[in-house]
Amino acid sequence: DTSFANKYYRYQVEVYHPASNKVETLITTDPYSLSLSTNSEYSQIIDLNAPDTMPSGWKVQKDNPVINPEDNIFYETHIRDFSAHDKALKNKQYRGKYLAFTDLKSDGMRHLINLRDAGINSIHLLPTFDIGTVNEDAERVIDSNDSLEHACHITKVKAVCDIKTDKSISITQYLESLPKNSLQQQTLVSALRSFDNYNWGYDPFHYTVPEGSYAINPEGKARIVEFRSMVAKLHNIGFRVIMDVVYNHTHQAGLEPTAILDKIVPNYYHRLDPITGAIEQSTCCDNTATERVMMEKLMIDSLIVWTSDYKIDGFRFDLMAHQPKTAMLK
């Protein structure tokens, strides 16, 4: 029914949950989401073959095969790190975003082209899927270039608001003004950690949607177009695109805000300690149970979307040994 195209939705689930020991009525997004609203509050019905989800030239971008595995030469980068401080970007809004990879005159892209000419053929992107820790609303997140005054206004954090200095200077300027052996830098950075726009990204929220904080517009299909623009540009200048994937754990479980799988089918998608019944956390966080049919299926289905709909050329699996060998071979 095309009348549902681009509509937003959530699920209401009634389920007994061991986290509270009672029947809960829960509202949750779709673990199979292909598109999301800002901050992943709603899933969006989307057709990834629709023309308005594709940047210009998406269907005719270059393919860059590598015949022998040993001929792969990788350059690893974090999407925000790559351009967050690139002053050569023509559009300042592109800094730290997918679209920074589309400006061939930026310092970052000129560097990549030089590396390509030296023999590197694959760009390995650290996690690019929807993560659970960075606020995607630019008005509610802190950047290191923001003023101390703005940081105080947004966070109301005492460690920021009580600083006795000119609060019109940026967070970076203040940090640089402190003695190098001072603990004040770490105190401030730690106080802002839950408000800033940086994270490595190893905290999966929705496995099969691009992360919104790397998009200028994180709402719905816009982030998909921006992500695809990055991939197409890298392909067209001769690179393969490799994606870091983290199917071995979720960001949260139980009834926590970014838990999805464990709200829909409690204790199924996560690996449990055989004695205590608690969710295993040997990965750092709540381990997924890829030995279970539907978690294995979710991983494989997700990989197929990234391969076929986003033209990702290869994957680096975080903590691959936490998946059964049979699942990896499939």
Side-chain angles (χ1 to χ4, degrees), residues 55-66 104 113 116-117 120-121 228-241 307-308 310-313:
S56 176
W58 175 252
K59 291 187 175 181
V60 293
Q61 63 190 280
K62 282 180 62 180
D63 185 30
N64 304 292
V66 174
L104 296 183
I113 289 168
R116 177 203 65 192
D117 294 342
I120 286 177
N121 54 26
R228 283 174 157 176
S229 297
M230 169 188 68
V231 173
K233 182 61 72 173
L234 288 170
H235 280 155
N236 287 338
I237 62 173
F239 287 112
R240 301 173 78 237
V241 181
T307 305
S308 61
Y310 288 97
K311 301 186 186 299
I312 299 299
D313 300 288

Side-chain angles (χ1 to χ4, degrees), residues 88-211:
L89 274 166
K90 186 176 180 180
N91 189 331
K92 291 182 180 179
Q93 279 192 303
Y94 287 10
R95 290 179 184 171
K97 307 294 185 180
Y98 298 126
L99 293 181
F101 291 86
T102 66
D103 184 347
L104 296 183
K105 294 184 179 179
S106 69
D107 288 339
M109 290 306 287
R110 286 189 292 174
H111 180 60
L112 286 191
I113 289 168
N114 288 335
L115 291 175
R116 177 203 65 192
D117 294 342
I120 286 177
N121 54 26
S122 299
I123 302 300
H124 168 203
L125 301 171
L126 267 65
T128 63
F129 50 73
D130 185 51
I131 63 176
T133 44
V134 177
N135 196 317
E136 296 172 354
D137 182 349
E139 300 299 317
R140 295 163 55 199
V141 73
I142 299 300
D143 185 89
S144 59
N145 293 317
D146 288 338
S147 68
L148 291 169
E149 183 179 30
H150 178 72
C152 173
H153 175 70
I154 294 295
T155 69
K156 307 293 191 296
V157 169
K158 186 177 175 63
V160 181
C161 298
D162 287 356
I163 292 173
K164 305 299 183 186
T165 189
D166 175 11
K167 287 191 172 61
S168 67
I169 65 172
S170 72
I171 296 168
T172 297
Q173 288 173 317
Y174 176 68
L175 291 171
E176 290 174 342
S177 74
L178 296 171
K180 297 195 185 309
N181 63 347
S182 165
L183 293 177
Q184 290 171 273
Q185 295 101 329
Q186 190 61 46
T187 300
L188 180 59
V189 170
S190 296
L192 293 175
R193 190 181 307 278
S194 62
F195 299 95
D196 68 22
N197 58 359
Y198 183 77
N199 192 291
W200 280 103
Y202 291 89
D203 42 7
F205 193 178
H206 297 84
Y207 287 114
T208 321
V209 184
E211 162 60 12

